[in-house]
Amino acid sequence: MRAVDVMARIDELVELGRTGDAEEARSRLVELWGDAEIQSDPLARCTLAHHAADLQPEIVDELAWDLRALEAADEITAERIGAHHASLDVAAFYPSLHLNLGEDYRRLRDAAGALTTSNVLAPVSTPFPTTATGA
């Protein structure tokens, strides 16, 4: 499976989960997780794990997937993300990934985990760059 095909497959399963068959989407994402193409591509792993987390019925499982997404994000190179889409920067992924973790820890009543995530986010809380029009 080519990288484009892998990402398209993930998108299909995310859409399946959004349209009401979360259980089937979750099952198929878990199956896809074991694919060698997914395991060799940190962008695919990050994307799959990020979306699989949202489909988990149990918060401990959601946390596990969110941690996988963060771990994979740490391995994404500028070249790999640029090959997927020239306008993307992996640094833009981190606020969302850490916010998801913070919410997981909050729901688990793990104040230390939430605080750690909050402390990681503090230096990232700079404004996003604006375009020439200021938008």
Side-chain angles (χ1 to χ4, degrees):
M1 213 180 312
R2 293 185 359 244
V4 172
D5 297 334
V6 167
M7 297 303 281
R9 186 75 183 120
I10 293 168
D11 288 344
E12 288 172 20
L13 295 175
V14 168
E15 187 59 30
L16 177 64
R18 286 187 184 143
T19 58
D21 200 346
E23 188 173 328
E24 178 68 16
R26 185 172 49 252
S27 173
R28 290 168 61 186
L29 283 168
V30 168
E31 181 181 322
L32 189 58
W33 179 259
D35 185 277
E37 285 288 324
I38 295 288
Q39 291 306 310
S40 69
D41 181 358
L43 178 59
R45 284 196 333 267
C46 180
T47 303
L48 187 153
H50 177 70
H51 291 292
D54 294 337
L55 296 172
Q56 301 307 307
E58 300 296 327
I59 187 59
V60 293
D61 297 323
E62 186 172 344
L63 174 62
W65 282 106
D66 282 332
L67 288 167
R68 288 179 187 119
L70 181 62
E71 182 181 318
D74 288 342
E75 298 175 28
I76 299 171
T77 64
E79 293 78 22
R80 172 60 186 104
I81 202 159
H84 180 68
H85 198 284
S87 70
L88 290 178
D89 181 346
V90 72
F93 289 14
Y94 286 100
S96 176
L97 295 172
H98 282 285
L99 284 170
N100 289 344
L101 286 170
E103 176 62 5
D104 296 342
Y105 288 124
R106 184 197 67 78
R107 289 173 57 203
L108 288 168
R109 301 176 192 264
D110 180 347
L115 184 59
T116 299
T117 300
S118 172
N119 289 338
V120 169
L121 277 173
V124 179
S125 63
T126 58
F128 285 102
T130 59
T131 64
T133 62

